[in-house]
Amino acid sequence: MSIILTGIIVTILSLIVIAFVFIKRKKIKDMIGMMAAMALGMLVGLTGGLLAGILYSGNLFISTVLGMGIGFLAGFLTGLPINVMAIIDGVLSGIMGGMMGAMLGEMISPEYQNRMIQIMLVIFVGMICIVLYMLQQETGFNRSSIINKIFHNPLIIAFVFLLFFYTYNHLFNELNQDYIASQKNSHMSHSLINKKLSVSRLNSSAKMKKLVIEATDFSYYPKEFKLTVGQPVNLILKNSGEIEHDIEFENMKASFLQQPQQGNHSKDQIVHIHSLPGKTSEMRFIPNESGVFRFFCTVPGHKESGMIGIVKVS
Ligand SMILES: [Cu+2]
């Protein structure tokens, strides 16, 4: 949800800058135009790349191409009314920003994704304000202009910034309420979880959740699913590919259930199973803590080719 909201804010602010440069193009000096094109290209590339990297997690090719494309477009459109140098400046910055943003989005662990988007948005909005101020100064002081009124009074700037981030955070929290609520619940009911664990030890086959993950040559199906803390899981890895694959849940602590004595398990292990081509492997475990975790194939190169996914444990 935060991805869509951020995307909308970034698009609107970019269009304002592009429209401003286009309308006032005759009054803008080459140097200022180049700066504006470079700044917008870089900012849009970085933010767009980050969002693409998160959205297309596991496919760095698509997110890089998307990030570079978005940055290219922003730099090109801003530089277009100025001159060829401004276009080159804007386009190159956009491509660079898009690449870096996509890598960041791809590499950042899921629990920090929302925080990272917020940080990037703060940088984006702050820098766009400075760029607009620079353009406004360049095109002559105009008392009636809203931008000038805002920028010539530091108190109004502070107020606008506070209002923006308050509103953003508020919206953001509304949209993520379900998620936050579920996390809070899981924290508050730790004693309940322990009870659930002891119950599951006695009666784990009755409440066992069956989870089938199909691995193909270079993808998992499903790529996203939910588990419950304390609920035993029967994980089945079905390898439909031509080569061997495995699955590992990054940082997710689990207790293993061993057949035939299901009560006997070892704590805080990392779940990892392996399947030969055309074969099926199976293991039983209990997730011990809530959170969002990545899972991927540990065979070199496979994670990068798309064998990656997300599990939410609540
Ligand atoms: Cu693999």
Side-chain angles (χ1 to χ4, degrees), residues 8-67:
I8 293 170
I9 295 172
V10 167
T11 312
I12 293 172
L13 287 176
S14 309
L15 288 177
I16 291 175
V17 174
I18 292 168
F20 194 102
V21 171
F22 185 75
I23 292 164
K24 301 272 176 103
R25 61 189 178 281
K26 283 180 185 144
K27 286 186 184 170
I28 296 173
K29 283 196 205 99
D30 288 357
M31 196 62 193
I32 303 291
M34 280 166 68
M35 282 302 297
M38 194 186 86
L40 197 76
M42 178 65 84
L43 286 167
V44 172
L46 271 174
T47 320
L50 174 71
L51 298 182
I54 290 171
L55 214 57
Y56 296 96
S57 175
N59 197 332
L60 190 57
F61 175 74
I62 288 188
S63 50
T64 303
V65 169
L66 260 174

Side-chain angles (χ1 to χ4, degrees), residues 209-213 222 225 227 233-237 249 285:
K209 176 181 175 141
K210 190 177 169 190
L211 171 66
V212 182
I213 301 180
F225 50 84
L227 297 177
V233 180
N234 184 15
L235 170 67
I236 296 162
L237 180 67
F249 292 75
F285 63 91

Side-chain angles (χ1 to χ4, degrees), residues 88-280:
I88 294 172
D89 237 20
V91 162
L92 289 179
S93 307
I95 289 175
M96 193 168 112
M99 278 174 76
M100 293 197 298
M103 279 191 271
L104 177 63
E106 172 73 33
M107 284 157 71
I108 195 152
S109 87
E111 51 185 315
Y112 297 118
Q113 281 174 355
N114 284 337
R115 197 47 67 195
M116 197 65 234
I117 292 175
Q118 283 179 312
I119 291 171
M120 197 57 95
L121 194 68
V122 170
I123 298 172
F124 186 87
V125 174
M127 284 308 296
I128 288 292
C129 286
I130 298 172
V131 168
L132 279 174
Y133 178 58
M134 178 185 78
L135 289 171
Q136 184 65 39
Q137 288 291 92
E138 178 64 14
T139 54
F141 186 74
N142 177 1
R143 281 226 161 263
S144 59
S145 149
I146 302 166
I147 292 167
N148 253 322
K149 274 186 185 160
I150 290 172
F151 277 101
H152 281 102
N153 190 339
L155 278 177
I156 297 182
I157 295 190
F159 180 73
V160 168
F161 262 84
L162 278 175
L163 194 72
F164 173 76
F165 289 114
Y166 174 78
T167 315
Y168 182 79
N169 256 319
H170 194 73
L171 271 173
F172 190 83
N173 287 342
E174 291 270 285
L175 297 170
N176 285 282
Q177 225 168 26
D178 300 325
Y179 182 55
I180 290 164
S182 70
Q183 275 201 328
K184 268 186 192 159
N185 281 340
S186 71
H187 280 300
M188 287 191 312
S189 58
H190 254 301
S191 54
L192 277 176
I193 289 161
N194 288 337
K195 273 180 204 160
K196 264 193 208 163
L197 265 177
S198 50
V199 170
S200 65
R201 264 174 231 173
L202 297 170
N203 195 14
S204 41
S205 56
K207 292 165 73 184
M208 180 83 69
K209 176 181 175 141
K210 190 177 169 190
L211 171 66
V212 182
I213 301 180
E214 188 181 2
T216 57
D217 292 333
F218 310 117
S219 194
Y220 287 117
Y221 182 79
K223 285 181 91 75
E224 231 183 302
F225 50 84
K226 289 176 180 163
L227 297 177
T228 310
V229 176
Q231 187 189 21
V233 180
N234 184 15
L235 170 67
I236 296 162
L237 180 67
K238 184 180 167 214
N239 186 351
S240 316
E242 306 273 294
I243 49 177
E244 63 181 282
H245 294 296
D246 62 19
I247 186 166
E248 183 167 316
F249 292 75
E250 190 180 42
N251 300 327
M252 189 185 82
K253 294 194 179 107
S255 304
F256 293 169
L257 297 172
Q258 277 142 6
Q259 296 273 62
Q261 322 130 277
Q262 290 191 344
N264 185 15
H265 59 249
S266 35
K267 285 214 99 170
D268 290 352
Q269 306 274 326
I270 297 296
V271 177
H272 177 117
I273 54 171
H274 173 265
S275 237
L276 291 169
K279 294 280 188 324
T280 294

